[in-house]
């Protein structure tokens, strides 16, 4: 590794939940004198190791793990910017010890915000309000605490482009867009536009030569070029995507939920429930739409926990409620895994493409757990060793048939950057609002819309017939 700590590489391990990212990180940290940085939003919270799926201490094998259990239940949940700045400090500390930082990302928008320069975060960071709590934000800007329709009305006044981008009920995104303007004095739509322009400049001005992919040193040089390349990678980065086939992953995730229940999931949910009841008794409201409260299992077990509190449900019905919650938790976990993969294949792949860095993400298929060493750990080690030594890396798609198939974006654009695709259309019959043209077309073709349209047409015929009869 280069002697200059500021120029040392970063390794990022990504993939769906249940694919073995944490285990791989420990193995690689052991081999390459590394330390692990948690990139999972739920694992930031203190305690609750089962709900948050923290790697047990024994399995960490003495490797330092950072940003695990650093936020208390009573504390304000972290925003992406807070995570990014804290993680950057941790990376600097790890490098000061001459060690390799290894990021393990479960919450991929956290990971992506850390990997890439972000114009919006940089602009906000310049203000002295970056770390305000939700309560302090509302004290400073009361509009952020108003009903969603009032926040939307204000956003329409100052930034109609972003107002048209969001669904009228998407409070978090509406609030965030207005917050950017309040904090920076700049429109979020303008900042996004500048970011797109910078990415285009990067894509045109950098890339691979003669079909070969650059080494860590070459990528390092790219990242020290003009300041305009703000949407490129922050550091020379090698990304390892740990993958498993859908069938294998489904079975693993179902088994993991069963194991979580056996090891004390309900006990941790009781802890959360008691905390919630205590806060409410003190008159402190808890926003259960964010933070630890949106971890998988909380919402799914809420009917069961509520029934236990009331003690009014017969034992047999209570057990059926528990079993239903287990199945719902399994389904929610599988859906989360699918969302993680979609994020990688759309958001991350397009960001890497824009930064001319698609040669630095390698998919390793860990479907066969019995051959983990040969299929995942060994090739990951070889890739990192070549990367750190400045050797030319192989073509990512050449590693396997699965890699060739998956390392292609399922959509060659990021909707958030295609303003021409932003629309706002409402279906009065169904009470639905679409914010993208493809969503609107999909709704018009949906079974629900066709059934509602037929019912309305029949009703209109009946009304017309009744008028004619009269």
């Amino acid at each position: 590794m280069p002697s200059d700590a500021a120029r040392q590489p970063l390794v990022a391990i990504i993939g769906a939940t249940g694919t073995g990212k944490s285990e791989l990180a420990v193995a690689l940290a052991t081999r390459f004198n590394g330390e692990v940085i948690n990139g999972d939003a739920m694992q930031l919270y203190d305690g609750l190791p089962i709900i948050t799926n923290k790697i047990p201490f024994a399995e960490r094998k003495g490797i330092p793990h950072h940003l695990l259990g650093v936020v208390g239940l009573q504390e304000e949940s972290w925003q992406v910017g807070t995570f990014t700045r804290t993680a950057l400090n941790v990376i600097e500390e790890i490098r000061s010890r001459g060690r390799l930082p290894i990021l393990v990302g479960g919450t991929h928008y956290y990971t992506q915000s850390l990997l890439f320069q972000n114009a919006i975060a940089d602009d906000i960071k310049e203000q002295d309000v970056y770390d305000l709590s939700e309560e302090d934000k509302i004290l400073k800007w009361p509009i952020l605490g108003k009903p969603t329709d009032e926040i939307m009305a204000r956003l329409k006044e100052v930034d109609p482009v972003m107002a048209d981008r969001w669904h009228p009920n998407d409070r978090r995104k509406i609030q965030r867009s207005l917050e950017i303007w309040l904090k920076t004095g700049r429109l979020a739509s303008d900042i996004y536009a500048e970011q797109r322009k910078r990415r285009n400049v990067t894509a045109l001005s950098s890339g691979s030569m003669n079909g070969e992919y650059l080494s860590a040193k070459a990528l390092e040089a790219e990242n020290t070029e003009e300041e305009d390349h703000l949407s490129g990678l922050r550091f020379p980065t090698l990304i390892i995507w740990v993958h498993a086939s859908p069938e294998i992953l489904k079975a693993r995730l179902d088994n993991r939920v069963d194991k979580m229940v056996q090891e004390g999931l309900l006990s941790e949910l009781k802890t959360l429930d008691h905390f919630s009841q205590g806060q409410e008794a003190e008159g402190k409201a808890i926003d259960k739409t964010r933070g630890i409260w949106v971890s998988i299992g909380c919402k799914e077990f809420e009917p069961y926990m509520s029934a236990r509190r009331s003690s009014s449900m017969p034992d047999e019905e209570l057990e059926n409620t528990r079993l239903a919650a287990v199945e719902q938790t399994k389904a929610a976990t599988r859906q989360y895994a699918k969302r993680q993969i979609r994020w990688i294949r759309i958001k991350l792949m397009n960001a890497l493409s824009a930064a001319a860095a698609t040669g630095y993400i390698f998919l390793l298929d860990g479907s066969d757990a019995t051959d983990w060493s040969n299929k995942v750990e060994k090739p990951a080690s070889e890739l990192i060793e070549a990367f750190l030594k400045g050797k030319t890396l192989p073509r990512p798609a050449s590693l396997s048939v699965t890699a060739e198939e998956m390392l292609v974006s399922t959509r060659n654009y990021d909707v958030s950057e295609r303003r021409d695709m932003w629309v706002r259309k409402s279906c009065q019959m169904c009470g639905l609002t679409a914010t993208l043209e493809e969503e609107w077309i999909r709704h018009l073709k949906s079974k629900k819309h066709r059934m509602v349209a037929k019912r309305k047409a029949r009703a209109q015929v009946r009304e017309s017939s009744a008028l004619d009869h009269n």
Side-chain angles (χ1 to χ4, degrees):
M1 295 173 65
S3 58
D4 186 351
R7 294 166 63 85
Q8 291 177 349
L10 172 70
V11 171
I13 302 174
I14 64 172
T17 184
T19 53
K21 299 186 297 294
S22 297
E23 293 83 352
L24 178 61
V26 169
L28 295 176
T30 301
R31 176 162 181 172
F32 294 101
N33 189 32
E35 298 184 23
V36 176
I37 304 167
N38 164 52
D40 186 295
M42 295 301 106
Q43 293 182 12
L44 291 169
Y45 287 93
D46 188 27
L48 309 172
I50 298 173
I51 290 177
T52 59
N53 278 301
K54 292 186 182 75
I55 183 171
F57 280 101
E59 295 179 17
R60 298 177 197 177
K61 299 181 180 178
I63 297 297
H65 279 63
H66 303 272
L67 303 187
L68 279 178
V70 295
V71 181
L73 291 181
Q74 73 283 357
E75 296 179 53
E76 185 74 26
S77 59
W78 282 16
Q79 294 186 355
V80 177
T82 307
F83 166 80
T84 301
R85 290 187 308 106
T86 307
L88 288 172
N89 289 334
V90 171
I91 289 173
E92 185 176 347
E93 292 171 3
I94 293 172
R95 287 174 170 164
S96 72
R97 294 187 284 272
R99 309 192 76 181
L100 174 69
I102 300 176
L103 172 69
V104 182
T107 305
H108 288 128
Y109 62 89
Y110 271 31
T111 302
Q112 192 161 330
S113 295
L114 180 60
L115 295 184
F116 293 87
Q117 293 281 5
N118 189 309
I120 294 176
D122 290 343
D123 282 336
I124 294 175
K125 186 176 178 181
E126 293 175 0
Q127 308 300 314
D128 193 29
V129 291
Y130 196 63
D131 283 328
L132 289 179
S133 67
E134 292 301 312
E135 182 178 346
D136 288 339
K137 287 177 190 175
I138 292 172
L139 287 174
K140 189 174 182 67
W141 300 294
I143 183 64
L144 296 178
K146 298 291 185 180
T148 304
D149 58 346
E150 292 187 34
I151 304 176
M152 172 61 93
R154 181 62 173 141
L155 182 61
K156 285 181 178 179
E157 291 177 8
V158 300
D159 195 347
V161 172
M162 291 308 296
D164 282 342
R165 172 70 180 92
W166 307 129
H167 189 282
N169 295 333
D170 198 336
R171 179 181 179 86
R172 183 180 65 82
K173 292 179 180 177
I174 295 169
Q175 191 179 49
R176 173 62 174 158
S177 294
L178 183 59
E179 183 183 333
I180 288 172
W181 177 74
L182 291 169
K183 285 181 174 180
T184 69
R186 302 185 61 204
L187 303 183
S189 56
D190 288 345
I191 297 174
Y192 281 124
E194 290 177 13
Q195 204 169 354
R196 285 193 296 274
K197 182 178 179 181
R198 287 164 176 158
R199 286 178 179 169
N200 289 338
V201 169
T202 302
L204 289 171
S205 64
S206 61
S208 58
M209 297 180 63
N210 300 323
E212 292 187 347
Y213 291 91
L214 304 176
S215 66
K217 292 179 181 177
L219 181 57
E220 181 178 85
E222 282 189 1
N223 282 277
T224 58
E225 290 180 1
E226 298 176 1
E227 287 295 322
D228 281 344
H229 295 181
L230 292 179
S231 59
L233 291 167
R234 293 181 189 271
F235 312 111
T237 304
L238 184 72
I239 304 171
I240 304 294
W241 175 2
V242 187
H243 180 69
S245 68
E247 300 79 13
I248 297 293
L249 187 57
K250 177 182 182 298
R252 283 186 194 172
L253 295 178
D254 286 352
N255 290 336
R256 188 169 76 176
V257 172
D258 288 334
K259 185 178 179 182
M260 289 168 65
V261 173
Q262 294 168 7
E263 294 183 346
L265 174 63
L266 294 182
S267 176
E268 290 190 0
L269 288 170
K270 289 178 188 176
T271 298
L272 278 177
D273 191 50
H274 290 158
F275 175 79
S276 173
Q277 296 296 311
Q279 292 292 102
E280 291 177 4
E282 295 177 11
K284 298 177 181 178
I286 291 180
D287 182 357
K288 293 190 176 181
T289 65
R290 55 203 302 263
I292 191 64
W293 305 101
V294 297
S295 60
I296 296 173
C298 287
K299 180 179 72 174
E300 290 75 16
F301 272 90
E302 176 57 32
Y304 174 74
M305 301 305 295
S306 177
R308 283 180 60 92
R309 283 197 303 271
S310 66
S311 303
S312 60
M313 187 177 287
D315 290 346
E316 183 177 354
E317 187 177 349
L318 184 64
E319 176 61 10
N320 288 335
T321 303
R322 185 188 73 84
L323 293 175
V326 171
E327 292 305 311
Q328 290 166 8
T329 300
K330 290 179 179 179
T333 304
R334 295 194 297 268
Q335 288 299 316
Y336 177 55
K338 290 179 180 178
R339 291 196 301 273
Q340 287 176 305
I341 294 171
R342 281 200 300 271
W343 183 282
I344 295 172
R345 298 195 69 192
I346 296 176
K347 292 281 188 178
L348 181 58
M349 290 303 298
N350 276 297
L352 287 169
S353 178
T358 53
Y360 304 99
I361 178 169
F362 293 85
L363 181 146
L364 300 177
D365 193 344
S367 298
D368 185 358
T370 64
D371 200 20
W372 174 266
S373 177
N374 290 322
K375 294 294 180 64
V376 178
E377 189 174 326
K378 182 178 178 181
S381 297
E382 291 173 348
L383 287 166
I384 293 173
E385 185 170 0
F387 184 65
L388 298 181
K389 290 182 177 179
K391 295 181 179 179
T392 299
L393 299 172
R395 188 171 62 89
S398 70
L399 296 192
S400 67
V401 173
T402 304
E404 186 174 14
E405 174 189 346
M406 299 294 289
L407 288 174
V408 176
S409 176
T410 54
R411 193 167 57 201
N412 63 358
Y413 57 87
D414 185 340
V415 170
S416 66
E417 298 184 358
R418 287 288 304 274
R419 191 179 298 185
D420 58 302
M421 300 183 69
W422 300 359
V423 301
R424 178 184 294 279
K425 295 183 179 180
S426 298
C427 178
Q428 301 301 323
M429 290 190 298
C430 302
L432 176 140
T433 298
T435 57
L436 294 172
E437 186 66 31
E438 61 185 47
E439 289 177 354
W440 178 248
I441 293 173
R442 187 162 56 245
H443 172 67
L444 294 180
K445 294 180 179 179
S446 69
K447 183 177 180 181
K448 175 185 176 181
H449 176 77
R450 294 199 305 270
M451 290 178 64
V452 171
K454 286 180 181 179
R455 284 199 298 269
K456 184 172 183 179
R458 287 196 294 267
Q460 289 175 339
V461 169
R462 287 194 298 270
E463 291 175 5
S464 177
S465 177
L467 290 173
D468 291 344
H469 182 74
N470 292 334

